Amino acid sequence: MNILIRVVLYLAKSYQDYNIRTGQDIYGSKKVTLLKPEIYMIYTGSRKAKPEKVSFAKEFFPGEECGLDKAMHIIYDGKRGISSTSTSHLQKYLTGR
């Protein structure tokens, strides 16, 4: 589940880019506005256990209090390789269509 570490780094970079693009000062006293993160992963392999979500804190620091946590939703495709069918599967999952 090392992808969870990458997700945290991608999220931090996305927020950094967003704040620069919107001209917000993260060093100022005024609270910045952020978009609510939703993180999805399309799993294309086969697994016996298929959790709906995985948690950064529970995966890396089980049973401990952690100041950082983000759950990632997992969508199971059952096929090898990311493809346009995986992308359309994500779209169907998110929109219900």
Side-chain angles (χ1 to χ4, degrees):
M1 282 296 164
N2 289 336
I3 190 169
L4 289 166
I5 296 169
R6 295 192 307 269
V7 163
V8 170
L9 295 173
Y10 295 150
L11 183 59
K13 177 69 172 137
S14 295
Y15 276 143
Q16 181 182 39
D17 293 346
Y18 174 77
N19 286 324
I20 290 169
R21 218 175 32 255
T22 58
Q24 298 185 82
D25 181 9
I26 62 170
Y27 300 104
S29 59
K30 182 182 175 190
K31 183 178 175 181
V32 299
T33 59
L34 296 176
L35 301 174
K36 179 182 172 187
E38 287 190 36
I39 301 168
Y40 294 87
M41 175 182 76
I42 299 173
Y43 187 84
T44 59
S46 58
R47 283 183 72 121
K48 289 181 183 174
K50 293 186 174 185
E52 187 177 312
K53 295 180 189 178
V54 291
S55 157
F56 178 82
K58 289 178 185 174
E59 189 69 31
F60 288 98
F61 309 103
E64 298 180 41
E65 193 170 315
C66 179
L68 175 65
D69 194 15
K70 185 61 196 153
M72 179 172 60
H73 302 273
I74 304 176
I75 299 168
Y76 296 92
D77 189 335
K79 300 175 184 155
R80 291 263 174 230
I82 300 293
S83 65
S84 59
T85 57
S86 298
T87 305
S88 64
H89 187 74
L90 175 62
Q91 185 177 12
K92 287 178 191 173
Y93 181 85
L94 294 174
T95 62
R97 299 182 257 160

